[in-house]
Amino acid sequence: MKYSILKNKNKITGLIMLLIFILAGFSGCGRNKPEEDKESATKHIIVGFSQVGAESDWRVANTDSICGTLTRENGFDLMFDDAQQKQDKQIRAIRNFVQQEVDCIVLAPVMEEGWDTVLQEAKDAGIPVIVVDRMVSVSDKSLYTAWVGSDFKKEGRIACEWLNEYTKKKGIDPKDIHIVNIQGTLGGTAQIGRSRALKDASINYGWDILDQIPADYAKAKSKEVVTDCLNRYPDLNVLYCENDNEALGAIEAVEESGRKIGTDLKNGEIMIISFDAVNSGLSKVLEGKIALDVECNPLQGAALEKLIIDVVAGKRVDKYTYIEEKAFSSDDVINSVIVDGSEQKITTLTEEIMMEREY
């Protein structure tokens, strides 16, 4: 009897230990703190990564790319923190990384402003900071070592030049183009760049910007915002959505309103332009519901890996690294546009192209 009880106790203890081990393995895309063993300290680069959140399909792909690259197999020991869209949480994470004496800090900031103090603390501790995706606006640019991401204003210019060329080819007068800008999270670099490009183009080409309203890159909020705009602006015929999740929400709002989505603005259709070019967005390009989707490439892991290795080794690196990107349209009316004196190809999307993409 005693043997049986002891045997059962051992089984229960073993199950508890197994559960603890499993839970520890699923604590995030990296561990909350580096292993304290000698092998980890000598053979792996310890990286603290503060990610803005998981607000969109793009962000999830970005996190997967970075976490899938900065692995122990590749020589890294990753500490990951999800900021859940809160800057104060990112600041606390960076201070924790400094206390942990990581080799490098990676920051995907919520917004551009408000980083001087905490980045100065990292610099004083001798820890290099690499910024990814959105920029930081600081008084001293030496507070961060390098940045890797997209040229957001160029993305916006590509979209605006395409809209200008498309409507000219269709014989649509600029004064008959009535746009609502569904903005991303205000203060973020992508929002600033894409909104600025549209504002500049509207002044240059004479378009009517009816409104600009943030939807925080979220589908549900975008649907709510667009529904309201459709009621307030009967002339609305172009929705400039600053990411694919917003475009998906806009599509639902337009369809439920009884209006038709498409590119025939003369006959009352509403054109939707989007950014990111993730799978969910491109599927709507194939359906003709998103007229143009300008890529914002989330696959930054490889470029970031090289930067970290070089920075930790004390090598000189480029301050800014731009990721290669494309633009996809639902038809072949416009095959290219000129942006900043260079030709930008516009790819007519096909199912074959979709199948070849990684995200």
Side-chain angles (χ1 to χ4, degrees), residues 31 33-42 46 72 77 79 99-100:
R31 291 173 297 116
K33 59 187 295 184
E35 291 180 10
E36 305 264 339
D37 60 272
K38 189 173 181 181
E39 179 184 0
S40 174
T42 57
I46 303 173
R72 289 186 64 78
D77 201 351
M79 300 170 64
Q99 291 174 355
Q100 294 287 336

PDB file of all heavy atoms in Angstrom, residues 31 33-42 46 72 77 79 99-100:
ATOM      1  N   ARG A  31      13.257  33.779 -24.752  1.00  0.00           N
ATOM      2  CA  ARG A  31      13.116  33.611 -23.318  1.00  0.00           C
ATOM      3  C   ARG A  31      13.046  34.958 -22.634  1.00  0.00           C
ATOM      4  O   ARG A  31      13.557  35.941 -23.124  1.00  0.00           O
ATOM      5  CB  ARG A  31      14.284  32.782 -22.784  1.00  0.00           C
ATOM      6  CG  ARG A  31      14.219  31.348 -23.252  1.00  0.00           C
ATOM      7  CD  ARG A  31      15.436  30.551 -22.869  1.00  0.00           C
ATOM      8  NE  ARG A  31      16.615  31.111 -23.531  1.00  0.00           N
ATOM      9  CZ  ARG A  31      17.612  31.645 -22.871  1.00  0.00           C
ATOM     10  NH1 ARG A  31      17.584  31.738 -21.580  1.00  0.00           N
ATOM     11  NH2 ARG A  31      18.649  32.118 -23.517  1.00  0.00           N
ATOM     12  N   LYS A  33      14.544  35.822 -19.903  1.00  0.00           N
ATOM     13  CA  LYS A  33      15.883  36.218 -19.460  1.00  0.00           C
ATOM     14  C   LYS A  33      16.881  35.184 -19.958  1.00  0.00           C
ATOM     15  O   LYS A  33      16.557  34.008 -20.110  1.00  0.00           O
ATOM     16  CB  LYS A  33      15.937  36.337 -17.937  1.00  0.00           C
ATOM     17  CG  LYS A  33      15.599  35.082 -17.193  1.00  0.00           C
ATOM     18  CD  LYS A  33      15.515  35.308 -15.691  1.00  0.00           C
ATOM     19  CE  LYS A  33      16.851  35.686 -15.117  1.00  0.00           C
ATOM     20  NZ  LYS A  33      16.821  35.821 -13.655  1.00  0.00           N
ATOM     21  N   PRO A  34      18.096  35.585 -20.217  1.00  0.00           N
ATOM     22  CA  PRO A  34      19.070  34.650 -20.770  1.00  0.00           C
ATOM     23  C   PRO A  34      19.478  33.602 -19.755  1.00  0.00           C
ATOM     24  O   PRO A  34      19.454  33.832 -18.550  1.00  0.00           O
ATOM     25  CB  PRO A  34      20.253  35.571 -21.123  1.00  0.00           C
ATOM     26  CG  PRO A  34      20.117  36.716 -20.194  1.00  0.00           C
ATOM     27  CD  PRO A  34      18.658  36.918 -19.998  1.00  0.00           C
ATOM     28  N   GLU A  35      19.852  32.436 -20.244  1.00  0.00           N
ATOM     29  CA  GLU A  35      20.370  31.404 -19.360  1.00  0.00           C
ATOM     30  C   GLU A  35      21.658  31.898 -18.726  1.00  0.00           C
ATOM     31  O   GLU A  35      22.478  32.570 -19.344  1.00  0.00           O
ATOM     32  CB  GLU A  35      20.644  30.121 -20.153  1.00  0.00           C
ATOM     33  CG  GLU A  35      19.365  29.446 -20.637  1.00  0.00           C
ATOM     34  CD  GLU A  35      19.671  28.190 -21.422  1.00  0.00           C
ATOM     35  OE1 GLU A  35      20.842  27.763 -21.423  1.00  0.00           O
ATOM     36  OE2 GLU A  35      18.753  27.640 -22.035  1.00  0.00           O
ATOM     37  N   GLU A  36      21.861  31.530 -17.482  1.00  0.00           N
ATOM     38  CA  GLU A  36      22.995  32.056 -16.734  1.00  0.00           C
ATOM     39  C   GLU A  36      24.203  31.126 -16.830  1.00  0.00           C
ATOM     40  O   GLU A  36      25.132  31.259 -16.045  1.00  0.00           O
ATOM     41  CB  GLU A  36      22.578  32.220 -15.263  1.00  0.00           C
ATOM     42  CG  GLU A  36      21.331  33.072 -15.100  1.00  0.00           C
ATOM     43  CD  GLU A  36      21.655  34.514 -14.797  1.00  0.00           C
ATOM     44  OE1 GLU A  36      22.771  34.755 -14.334  1.00  0.00           O
ATOM     45  OE2 GLU A  36      20.806  35.367 -15.019  1.00  0.00           O
ATOM     46  N   ASP A  37      24.144  30.149 -17.746  1.00  0.00           N
ATOM     47  CA  ASP A  37      25.248  29.209 -17.833  1.00  0.00           C
ATOM     48  C   ASP A  37      26.411  29.796 -18.607  1.00  0.00           C
ATOM     49  O   ASP A  37      26.275  30.729 -19.396  1.00  0.00           O
ATOM     50  CB  ASP A  37      24.792  27.891 -18.481  1.00  0.00           C
ATOM     51  CG  ASP A  37      24.267  28.120 -19.884  1.00  0.00           C
ATOM     52  OD1 ASP A  37      23.066  28.399 -20.022  1.00  0.00           O
ATOM     53  OD2 ASP A  37      25.071  28.024 -20.822  1.00  0.00           O
ATOM     54  N   LYS A  38      27.579  29.249 -18.370  1.00  0.00           N
ATOM     55  CA  LYS A  38      28.819  29.762 -18.966  1.00  0.00           C
ATOM     56  C   LYS A  38      28.792  29.640 -20.474  1.00  0.00           C
ATOM     57  O   LYS A  38      29.242  30.527 -21.197  1.00  0.00           O
ATOM     58  CB  LYS A  38      30.009  29.001 -18.384  1.00  0.00           C
ATOM     59  CG  LYS A  38      31.351  29.585 -18.753  1.00  0.00           C
ATOM     60  CD  LYS A  38      32.456  28.877 -18.002  1.00  0.00           C
ATOM     61  CE  LYS A  38      33.814  29.462 -18.334  1.00  0.00           C
ATOM     62  NZ  LYS A  38      34.902  28.771 -17.615  1.00  0.00           N
ATOM     63  N   GLU A  39      28.219  28.549 -20.991  1.00  0.00           N
ATOM     64  CA  GLU A  39      28.175  28.337 -22.440  1.00  0.00           C
ATOM     65  C   GLU A  39      27.392  29.445 -23.117  1.00  0.00           C
ATOM     66  O   GLU A  39      27.793  29.986 -24.138  1.00  0.00           O
ATOM     67  CB  GLU A  39      27.544  26.976 -22.737  1.00  0.00           C
ATOM     68  CG  GLU A  39      27.446  26.684 -24.225  1.00  0.00           C
ATOM     69  CD  GLU A  39      26.724  25.379 -24.507  1.00  0.00           C
ATOM     70  OE1 GLU A  39      26.301  24.718 -23.550  1.00  0.00           O
ATOM     71  OE2 GLU A  39      26.589  25.037 -25.692  1.00  0.00           O
ATOM     72  N   SER A  40      26.219  29.821 -22.532  1.00  0.00           N
ATOM     73  CA  SER A  40      25.393  30.874 -23.127  1.00  0.00           C
ATOM     74  C   SER A  40      26.137  32.180 -23.172  1.00  0.00           C
ATOM     75  O   SER A  40      26.083  32.919 -24.142  1.00  0.00           O
ATOM     76  CB  SER A  40      24.095  31.027 -22.326  1.00  0.00           C
ATOM     77  OG  SER A  40      23.351  32.120 -22.796  1.00  0.00           O
ATOM     78  N   ALA A  41      26.855  32.508 -22.081  1.00  0.00           N
ATOM     79  CA  ALA A  41      27.542  33.796 -22.000  1.00  0.00           C
ATOM     80  C   ALA A  41      28.690  33.901 -22.986  1.00  0.00           C
ATOM     81  O   ALA A  41      29.002  34.985 -23.469  1.00  0.00           O
ATOM     82  CB  ALA A  41      28.051  34.012 -20.577  1.00  0.00           C
ATOM     83  N   THR A  42      29.324  32.787 -23.297  1.00  0.00           N
ATOM     84  CA  THR A  42      30.508  32.837 -24.138  1.00  0.00           C
ATOM     85  C   THR A  42      30.227  32.558 -25.608  1.00  0.00           C
ATOM     86  O   THR A  42      30.982  32.982 -26.461  1.00  0.00           O
ATOM     87  CB  THR A  42      31.557  31.817 -23.642  1.00  0.00           C
ATOM     88  OG1 THR A  42      30.966  30.511 -23.620  1.00  0.00           O
ATOM     89  CG2 THR A  42      32.023  32.177 -22.241  1.00  0.00           C
ATOM     90  N   ILE A  46      23.621  37.954 -26.695  1.00  0.00           N
ATOM     91  CA  ILE A  46      22.385  38.166 -25.946  1.00  0.00           C
ATOM     92  C   ILE A  46      21.701  39.428 -26.469  1.00  0.00           C
ATOM     93  O   ILE A  46      22.275  40.517 -26.444  1.00  0.00           O
ATOM     94  CB  ILE A  46      22.660  38.295 -24.437  1.00  0.00           C
ATOM     95  CG1 ILE A  46      23.380  37.044 -23.930  1.00  0.00           C
ATOM     96  CG2 ILE A  46      21.356  38.492 -23.671  1.00  0.00           C
ATOM     97  CD1 ILE A  46      23.841  37.151 -22.486  1.00  0.00           C
ATOM     98  N   ARG A  72      18.960  30.365 -31.003  1.00  0.00           N
ATOM     99  CA  ARG A  72      20.179  29.797 -30.401  1.00  0.00           C
ATOM    100  C   ARG A  72      20.989  29.039 -31.452  1.00  0.00           C
ATOM    101  O   ARG A  72      22.223  29.043 -31.410  1.00  0.00           O
ATOM    102  CB  ARG A  72      19.816  28.884 -29.232  1.00  0.00           C
ATOM    103  CG  ARG A  72      19.310  29.680 -28.018  1.00  0.00           C
ATOM    104  CD  ARG A  72      19.091  28.781 -26.808  1.00  0.00           C
ATOM    105  NE  ARG A  72      20.318  28.166 -26.325  1.00  0.00           N
ATOM    106  CZ  ARG A  72      21.231  28.793 -25.592  1.00  0.00           C
ATOM    107  NH1 ARG A  72      21.076  30.063 -25.271  1.00  0.00           N
ATOM    108  NH2 ARG A  72      22.309  28.153 -25.175  1.00  0.00           N
ATOM    109  N   ASP A  77      20.886  34.572 -28.100  1.00  0.00           N
ATOM    110  CA  ASP A  77      20.100  34.291 -26.913  1.00  0.00           C
ATOM    111  C   ASP A  77      19.116  35.446 -26.799  1.00  0.00           C
ATOM    112  O   ASP A  77      19.486  36.561 -26.435  1.00  0.00           O
ATOM    113  CB  ASP A  77      21.011  34.222 -25.690  1.00  0.00           C
ATOM    114  CG  ASP A  77      20.377  33.466 -24.545  1.00  0.00           C
ATOM    115  OD1 ASP A  77      19.180  33.148 -24.648  1.00  0.00           O
ATOM    116  OD2 ASP A  77      21.068  33.200 -23.549  1.00  0.00           O
ATOM    117  N   MET A  79      15.885  37.713 -25.689  1.00  0.00           N
ATOM    118  CA  MET A  79      14.904  38.113 -24.682  1.00  0.00           C
ATOM    119  C   MET A  79      13.849  38.944 -25.397  1.00  0.00           C
ATOM    120  O   MET A  79      14.149  39.991 -25.961  1.00  0.00           O
ATOM    121  CB  MET A  79      15.568  38.941 -23.583  1.00  0.00           C
ATOM    122  CG  MET A  79      16.670  38.224 -22.838  1.00  0.00           C
ATOM    123  SD  MET A  79      17.601  39.362 -21.764  1.00  0.00           S
ATOM    124  CE  MET A  79      16.331  39.856 -20.614  1.00  0.00           C
ATOM    125  N   GLN A  99      19.697  46.384 -17.401  1.00  0.00           N
ATOM    126  CA  GLN A  99      20.038  45.729 -16.134  1.00  0.00           C
ATOM    127  C   GLN A  99      20.549  44.312 -16.351  1.00  0.00           C
ATOM    128  O   GLN A  99      21.426  43.837 -15.627  1.00  0.00           O
ATOM    129  CB  GLN A  99      18.818  45.709 -15.214  1.00  0.00           C
ATOM    130  CG  GLN A  99      18.415  47.084 -14.695  1.00  0.00           C
ATOM    131  CD  GLN A  99      17.126  47.049 -13.900  1.00  0.00           C
ATOM    132  OE1 GLN A  99      16.460  46.009 -13.798  1.00  0.00           O
ATOM    133  NE2 GLN A  99      16.746  48.189 -13.340  1.00  0.00           N
ATOM    134  N   GLN A 100      20.009  43.644 -17.377  1.00  0.00           N
ATOM    135  CA  GLN A 100      20.435  42.275 -17.689  1.00  0.00           C
ATOM    136  C   GLN A 100      21.773  42.247 -18.424  1.00  0.00           C
ATOM    137  O   GLN A 100      22.325  41.177 -18.666  1.00  0.00           O
ATOM    138  CB  GLN A 100      19.370  41.589 -18.554  1.00  0.00           C
ATOM    139  CG  GLN A 100      18.032  41.357 -17.863  1.00  0.00           C
ATOM    140  CD  GLN A 100      18.079  40.250 -16.844  1.00  0.00           C
ATOM    141  OE1 GLN A 100      18.921  39.367 -16.923  1.00  0.00           O
ATOM    142  NE2 GLN A 100      17.195  40.290 -15.863  1.00  0.00           N
TER     143      GLN A 100
END
